[in-house]
Amino acid sequence: MTRARNTPARRARRRRVLERTSGQAGRRHRTFRVANEAMLHSLRYAWVHRRRRKRDFRRLWIVRINAAARLHELTYARLMHGLRLAGVEVDRKMLADLAVREPEAFGRLAERARAALA
């Protein structure tokens, strides 16, 4: 009996890998073995960086909030502590957006935080 090699699935797998690495340079988009390694690395980087992006955005929001808070003679830590004491439940993403787009509203929140600290 002849040996079955399952050629259609093998060809489909190779084609899928080569399609995923179509933008790579050199042999990384032509040769299956090299392309497969490149694809596995890129998938790993994508997985890691999806989680990293969340950290990066939080850092950006904190920088923006701190800069806006210092315009109102507060530090980031004192602002956040004052908002917590005042019972204001606004997350960092929204605070950073207010700091950039609505400075007056951010100023009112800063005053509430300062009043709660006193």
Side-chain angles (χ1 to χ4, degrees):
M1 189 164 168
T2 59
R3 180 166 158 241
R5 294 195 191 101
N6 199 10
T7 303
R10 179 181 185 210
R11 188 181 306 122
R13 186 176 70 247
R14 286 168 181 254
R15 193 197 47 178
R16 207 167 34 244
V17 168
L18 292 174
E19 282 174 359
R20 279 186 164 173
T21 58
S22 64
Q24 300 276 353
R27 285 175 34 193
R28 294 162 69 99
H29 77 281
R30 282 193 301 263
T31 309
F32 173 75
R33 188 179 296 183
V34 180
N36 197 42
E37 287 289 320
M39 183 198 71
L40 292 175
H41 280 120
S42 66
L43 290 175
R44 175 66 182 160
Y45 289 137
W47 188 89
V48 168
H49 292 141
R50 277 195 300 275
R51 278 133 194 91
R52 181 71 189 263
R53 181 172 50 212
K54 293 159 184 59
R55 285 179 249 163
D56 291 343
F57 269 109
R58 184 180 169 99
R59 285 179 65 191
L60 174 66
W61 298 332
I62 288 172
V63 166
R64 287 178 175 176
I65 294 166
N66 190 24
R70 286 175 187 275
L71 293 175
H72 298 279
E73 286 88 34
L74 285 170
T75 63
Y76 169 79
R78 289 182 50 78
L79 173 75
M80 296 307 284
H81 183 60
L83 289 175
R84 187 161 293 127
L85 291 176
V88 177
E89 293 185 17
V90 181
D91 62 359
R92 286 164 182 80
K93 180 178 180 180
M94 294 309 299
L95 272 175
D97 194 51
L98 284 174
V100 171
R101 296 177 190 215
E102 308 263 347
E104 303 85 28
F106 185 88
R108 288 194 297 272
L109 285 175
E111 289 307 316
R112 286 186 65 181
R114 188 191 319 280
L117 288 170

